[in-house]
Amino acid sequence: MVERATKELFNEIKHASEADQFMTNMANSFIRTNPAEYLAELIQIKHVTKSQVIRRANLTPSIGYQYFDGKRRPNRARIIALGFGFQLTLTELNTMLKRTGYAVLYAKDEWDALVIFALSQRFDLNRTDELLYQYGLGTITDED
């Protein structure tokens, strides 16, 4: 199936007279990726091991493997931590957030803006957490 442009989908939603109409027509266009499936996809793409990602994401092995096995669903902060674990770019991390059902990093949110800055500077997770903490915004690893 050919992927439809977001603008086209948005237009179809706006002009639909009933929810059933656009939900049926667009069923194959919605992004519904289970986080564990996407993590497995990234393992293949990035040529890393689960243990490398878990370590760089500052996750306990038991929690990290539960995310990879689909036994637990990571929240947005944990997805971001995993993004650091995979050493993703900003674009890649935003794709990961969208594909797993979370909002992309938003430049007008100060917490998100500092994460964007850190990614742009290629900071690791520890340095990013230090930056967030310095500005009184908590950390990625302490978010729940």
Side-chain angles (χ1 to χ4, degrees):
M1 172 171 224
V2 176
E3 188 173 321
R4 295 168 61 195
T6 302
K7 187 175 183 176
E8 179 186 343
L9 297 172
F10 186 75
N11 194 41
E12 189 168 331
I13 294 168
K14 280 180 38 179
H15 292 95
S17 57
E18 296 181 21
D20 284 348
Q21 176 186 351
F22 76 80
M23 290 299 285
T24 300
N25 292 345
M26 297 172 52
N28 291 328
S29 299
F30 293 126
I31 297 173
R32 288 189 187 112
T33 303
N34 176 311
E37 291 172 10
Y38 193 67
L39 295 175
E41 197 177 308
L42 282 176
I43 287 286
Q44 298 301 314
I45 293 168
K46 293 295 187 174
H47 305 290
V48 293
T49 65
K50 292 176 186 177
S51 62
Q52 287 173 318
V53 173
I54 291 167
R55 186 176 15 78
R56 290 191 299 229
N58 290 344
L59 297 170
T60 61
S62 62
I63 298 286
Y65 284 108
Q66 287 178 31
Y67 292 155
F68 277 98
D69 296 339
K71 294 178 181 166
R72 288 182 77 161
R73 179 180 172 79
N75 62 21
R76 184 175 184 263
R78 295 292 184 253
I79 288 288
I80 293 170
L82 286 161
F84 276 92
F86 279 106
Q87 298 179 323
L88 300 180
T89 64
L90 173 59
T91 301
E92 291 170 328
L93 180 57
N94 275 335
T95 297
M96 182 182 189
L97 286 164
K98 282 190 276 189
R99 293 270 311 268
T100 56
Y102 292 107
V104 297
L105 292 168
Y106 183 56
K108 289 187 176 183
D109 178 271
E110 59 186 337
W111 190 92
D112 284 9
L114 284 172
V115 173
I116 292 168
F117 173 80
L119 287 166
S120 300
Q121 298 296 313
R122 303 301 293 163
F123 287 9
D124 66 8
L125 183 57
N126 290 328
R127 191 163 174 201
T128 304
D129 272 350
E130 288 172 9
L131 182 67
L132 289 164
Y133 187 79
Q134 174 186 341
Y135 284 89
L137 298 173
T139 63
I140 294 169
T141 52
D142 287 338
E143 287 290 316
D144 277 318

